Amino acid sequence: MKNNLTNKAADNIRILSAAMVDKANSGHPGGAMGGADYANILYSEFLKYNPDDMSWPFRDRFFLDPGHMSPMLYSVLALSGKFSMEDLKNFRQWGSVTPGHPELDTERGVENTSGPLGQGHTMAVGAAIAERFLSARFGEWMSHKTFSFISDGGIQEEVSQGAGRLAGFLGLSNLIMFYDSNDIQLSSETDEVTTEDTAKKYEAWGWKVLTIEGNDTEAIRGALKIATEEKEKPTLIIGKTIMGKGAVTDGGDSFERKVSTHGQPLSAAGASLDKTIENLGGDPKEPFQIFPEVEELYKKRQEELRQWVKEFEAEKEKWEKANPELAEKLESFLSGDIPEFDFAALEQKANTATRAASGTVLAAFADQVENMIVASADLSNSDKTDGFLKKTHPFAKNDFTGAFLQAGVSELTMACVMNGLALHGGVIPVCGTFFVFSDYMKPAVRLAALMELPVKYVWTHDAFRVGEDGPTHQPVEQEAQIRLLEQLKNHHGDNSMLVLRPADGPETTVSWKMALENTDTPTALILSRQNIKDLPANSDRYTDALQAEKGAYIVENDANPDVILLASGSEVATLVDGAALLRERDGLKVRVVSVPSEGLFRNQEKAYQEEVLPVNVPKFGMTAGLPVTLKGLVGDAGAVWGLNSFGFSAPYTVLDEELGFNGENVYKQVKIFLGK
């Protein structure tokens, strides 16, 4: 009897999924129909959450990887009372809460934005790490599970290797992933592109692997029971499901296991929507309804969950009374409050590389910011995240008392994991690598910007001055690419990313202050490999550098300047050298401006922008990247000295001379620019 009701609930999800796609005349019904059995059992029997507060921090999480299977997620959440039938009818329409691929909506039960395959389940790895990190500090009473759902496409995406390797290595037994293995993808069957043994692959990474009939109620239930009791390994449940389960033609013949139902409505694929709905026990005239007995099933589950939450909260209260200081700390972590930190007291070495200055800040964070997790893609001693690492130790299987993630050589995996950490909450994620490898991270950085996640990126070796490693390791166009996210607005109308390229050690300290205080968007810190001369101080250099909080500020200023020189990063010091020559040799009046963030500067009042960069004064910019990076600031009448080609292999001092990044060339180019 129980299984009959369970199967009816799964059929309800299938009907709603197919109807949503057909009504929108757009979408992917087949996978949603095949995965419905697992989704139903997970939500009606296993997933633990607070039905009255979906953002309750002690809940299990469910991360959907194949965003095209959103109809399945929206439908099961509709059974759970989080979406209305009107919401489902408006699938993929303007202004609806049911976009084509799920977008982060915690209150309705959508834990992650998904779409680019592979990222969703890798975020789940991050959430599972966050749970282990917090449980290691506050106790197993608060432990919970992270469930994920992946498709054939997600398994094929390269990022799945990084996620699988990392989760297995760390023994994330709190991570349970269902692989919807239906052997169908968008344009072909899977045997046309792969013959790998997925089970053996995950077993080699250290996962427990269970292979079941993915539409069999008892098999799913049994696998989930085993997985939730596992204590040593993450679990992969390979469910051999049926694409378009229940789909039939006008004549009533089966239309299951068809490539055509992957990416188009059933009626366009060759099946009959009405006959399919009838076959699944629904009413073709009114497909958007929840069967009464299914509604009761989910209401009963809601009551069970409410009772469980009540019992959990009672235990939590006992723990809080017994551990008042820990309870206060946990509340601080979970609230997302910015930890107190005295940036003014932090001492930087003079004339240091900004990557080293960043390492100094991170070392201090390791002592004082207790919920920060720092990661590096096998470059901690080069990107100077080892400043943090030296004060803690890396995560290892059964040991999450440290706060450092050795991600290995897998930048995209690392970036996706950072998103998962941020989505889980309670921690501050930071990750580092060479700036040129931001190319590998960009898909995850984009999703962080879209989801408005406060991930901090430490990108070092910021220019051609990487030197002898040559053009493969020398970023040129990367800054222009990343700064586009300063111009792109998120759905709250804010810059989707804060991008900072500090000009010296004190400005790096201020940049970290800005990064820590930015809880609304991702932050990028673009840092130098080579040492940089500190900028001249008008008072205390740190106090001067606080002006960077407005995105741009005046470093040196002569009254009524003849020319304004502007840059970010190490080129600001080069402009200071050039300005000295312009004054000494030609008596020119010069203003030097540091612009760590054009996007932030553009957010300031117009009066401040014009105070720093008056319209009627000629402007000359210098950048180690593409000249377009500064073009918007110098204006059409201005000039920019930048790099228009890939870099070259040579010591950085030679490159500076050969490519014209020195005070002498600043003098020369400004003279040409001014026609003097």
Side-chain angles (χ1 to χ4, degrees):
M1 193 70 173
K2 179 181 180 182
N3 283 348
N4 288 339
L5 180 55
T6 302
N7 292 335
K8 192 170 184 65
D11 284 342
N12 207 160
I13 294 171
R14 281 187 259 275
I15 291 168
L16 292 172
S17 296
M20 290 167 65
V21 175
D22 241 82
K23 187 174 189 305
N25 195 29
S26 175
H28 304 254
M33 295 172 74
D37 298 278
Y38 177 80
N40 172 58
I41 293 173
L42 178 65
Y43 274 83
S44 65
E45 298 181 29
F46 285 88
L47 194 73
K48 294 180 178 179
Y49 59 95
N50 185 343
D52 302 311
D53 179 8
M54 297 297 279
S55 62
W56 187 61
F58 308 105
R59 68 192 184 278
D60 291 343
R61 270 74 167 173
F62 175 68
F63 284 77
L64 182 68
D65 191 294
H68 62 269
M69 290 177 66
S70 60
M72 178 189 75
L73 180 61
Y74 298 146
S75 295
V76 75
L77 288 171
L79 301 190
S80 304
K82 302 308 171 187
F83 286 93
S84 69
M85 291 300 103
E86 283 303 309
D87 292 333
L88 301 195
K89 290 176 184 178
N90 286 321
F91 177 56
R92 290 185 169 232
Q93 304 309 303
W94 173 263
S96 77
V97 294
T98 48
H101 290 75
E103 295 177 25
L104 178 62
D105 189 349
T106 307
E107 284 304 321
R108 290 188 176 87
V110 180
E111 296 281 6
N112 64 296
T113 296
S114 58
L117 294 177
Q119 291 199 48
H121 83 289
T122 314
M123 292 181 220
V125 174
I129 291 172
E131 186 273 346
R132 289 291 81 202
F133 175 90
L134 293 169
S135 293
R137 283 150 180 78
F138 301 105
E140 289 296 332
W141 64 269
M142 65 174 294
S143 66
H144 47 271
K145 302 292 185 184
T146 299
F147 295 89
S148 186
F149 188 107
I150 195 169
S151 65
D152 288 299
I155 288 287
Q156 290 169 31
E157 279 288 355
E158 293 90 339
V159 71
S160 68
Q161 163 152 329
R165 172 188 57 78
L166 191 60
F169 174 75
L170 294 176
L172 295 176
S173 59
N174 57 338
L175 177 64
I176 299 165
M177 184 162 74
F178 182 79
Y179 167 26
D180 182 54
S181 177
N182 57 42
D183 301 324
I184 303 290
Q185 48 197 82
L186 188 63
S187 63
S188 71
E189 295 190 20
T190 55
D191 61 10
E192 294 182 43
V193 300
T194 181
T195 57
E196 73 176 11
D197 190 325
T198 302
K200 287 182 179 177
K201 181 172 70 173
Y202 276 83
E203 286 169 355
W205 286 327
W207 289 58
K208 176 187 284 291
V209 179
L210 306 169
T211 301
I212 64 171
E213 291 298 320
N215 299 115
D216 183 293
T217 297
E218 283 300 332
I220 296 169
R221 189 177 287 127
L224 279 170
K225 189 172 187 301
I226 292 170
T228 53
E229 293 173 355
E230 171 62 37
K231 302 297 183 186
E232 293 295 322
K233 300 177 178 182
T235 299
L236 176 70
I237 302 170
I238 301 177
K240 299 305 297 182
T241 60
I242 299 172
M243 170 68 75
K245 181 170 170 54
V248 296
T249 65
D250 277 325
D253 297 325
S254 172
F255 202 79
E256 297 175 336
R257 300 188 187 278
K258 303 293 185 184
V259 172
S260 61
T261 63
H262 186 295
Q264 58 184 323
L266 292 184
S267 56
S272 166
L273 177 65
D274 287 354
K275 291 294 183 181
T276 297
I277 291 171
E278 281 184 4
N279 184 48
L280 294 169
D283 179 0
K285 294 180 181 177
E286 186 45 69
F288 289 99
Q289 59 177 306
I290 301 174
F291 299 147
E293 58 270 50
V294 173
E295 187 173 8
E296 284 303 312
L297 172 69
Y298 274 80
K299 281 184 178 178
K300 180 183 177 185
R301 178 59 178 168
Q302 306 292 300
E303 290 309 312
E304 291 172 353
L305 288 170
R306 288 188 178 97
Q307 181 59 35
W308 172 74
V309 169
K310 185 178 179 181
E311 293 168 1
F312 185 99
E313 287 290 350
E315 289 300 313
K316 175 174 173 281
E317 189 175 343
K318 288 180 186 177
W319 176 82
E320 288 172 337
K321 288 180 179 178
N323 303 276
E325 291 183 5
L326 276 178
E328 185 178 352
K329 184 183 292 185
L330 176 60
E331 175 60 29
S332 173
F333 284 11
L334 296 177
S335 70
D337 289 344
I338 301 166
E340 291 186 10
F341 188 88
D342 187 357
F343 286 92
L346 198 138
E347 293 186 13
Q348 293 284 8
K349 290 182 180 178
N351 307 320
T352 190
T354 53
R355 64 166 175 162
S358 171
T360 299
V361 178
L362 286 169
F365 283 165
D367 291 329
Q368 299 180 51
V369 183
E370 296 181 72
N371 63 331
M372 180 172 281
I373 295 175
V374 178
S376 179
D378 194 43
L379 288 169
S380 57
N381 53 340
S382 289
D383 60 32
K384 297 306 176 186
T385 53
D386 65 351
F388 190 94
L389 175 58
K390 289 172 183 176
K391 301 288 190 72
T392 182
H393 58 272
F395 296 140
K397 185 174 183 177
N398 298 323
D399 182 8
F400 289 83
T401 57
F404 198 92
L405 173 63
Q406 293 284 25
V409 186
S410 51
E411 292 84 359
L412 176 56
T413 298
M414 177 177 69
C416 294
V417 166
M418 294 299 105
N419 288 348
L421 292 172
L423 287 167
H424 182 280
V427 298
I428 301 171
V430 177
C431 64
T433 188
F434 291 176
F435 189 33
V436 75
F437 300 143
S438 64
D439 286 348
Y440 283 151
M441 302 169 70
K442 183 65 165 40
V445 174
R446 184 176 189 271
L447 282 193
L450 181 58
M451 290 186 281
E452 303 175 24
L453 302 179
V455 178
K456 326 298 179 190
Y457 303 103
V458 177
W459 283 323
T460 68
H461 298 58
D462 66 344
F464 61 82
R465 298 180 187 90
V466 173
E468 293 90 339
D469 281 341
T472 61
H473 282 55
Q474 294 173 10
V476 176
E477 76 280 14
Q478 280 74 15
E479 185 178 355
Q481 293 171 352
I482 291 299
R483 287 201 184 275
L484 289 175
L485 290 170
E486 289 189 309
Q487 299 179 37
L488 186 69
K489 302 297 183 184
N490 59 34
H491 287 162
H492 282 98
D494 301 320
N495 297 356
S496 67
M497 191 172 195
L498 174 61
V499 182
L500 300 165
R501 187 169 178 244
D504 61 6
E507 207 174 285
T508 304
T509 301
V510 173
S511 293
W512 262 116
K513 177 177 184 291
M514 296 161 69
L516 192 64
E517 292 173 353
N518 179 22
T519 60
D520 298 321
T521 71
T523 303
L525 292 97
I526 303 174
L527 306 168
S528 76
R529 176 201 187 198
Q530 83 288 357
N531 291 339
I532 303 172
K533 286 192 295 186
D534 285 348
L535 300 183
N538 296 311
S539 54
D540 168 70
R541 178 64 196 126
Y542 172 77
T543 303
D544 290 351
L546 283 171
Q547 297 174 89
E549 293 181 318
K550 290 187 175 182
Y553 67 102
I554 299 169
V555 173
E556 282 189 328
N557 190 43
D558 298 332
N560 303 312
D562 298 302
V563 66
I564 297 174
L565 311 182
L566 57 104
S568 69
S570 52
E571 289 83 74
V572 182
T574 306
L575 293 181
V576 170
D577 290 344
L581 297 177
L582 289 165
R583 295 187 189 102
E584 177 187 331
R585 295 175 182 174
D586 295 75
L588 289 176
K589 298 176 182 178
V590 185
R591 172 180 296 180
V592 177
V593 173
S594 176
V595 192
S597 172
E598 179 180 352
L600 189 56
F601 179 61
R602 295 295 194 192
N603 291 347
Q604 306 306 312
E605 296 289 337
K606 201 71 177 175
Y608 179 77
Q609 293 185 44
E610 292 181 356
E611 177 187 334
V612 175
L613 298 177
V615 175
N616 59 348
V617 181
K619 300 173 188 66
F620 175 88
M622 174 171 271
T623 174
L626 289 172
V628 70
T629 304
L630 293 177
K631 188 62 179 175
L633 290 172
V634 302
D636 291 339
V640 179
W641 184 262
L643 203 58
N644 282 305
S645 73
F646 292 112
F648 304 88
S649 182
Y652 84 86
T653 51
V654 173
L655 290 173
D656 270 337
E657 294 302 313
E658 292 292 335
L659 299 174
F661 285 82
N662 53 45
E664 192 65 45
N665 192 49
V666 170
Y667 171 79
K668 176 183 174 182
Q669 297 302 325
V670 171
K671 290 273 287 180
I672 293 171
F673 167 57
L674 295 177
K676 295 187 177 183

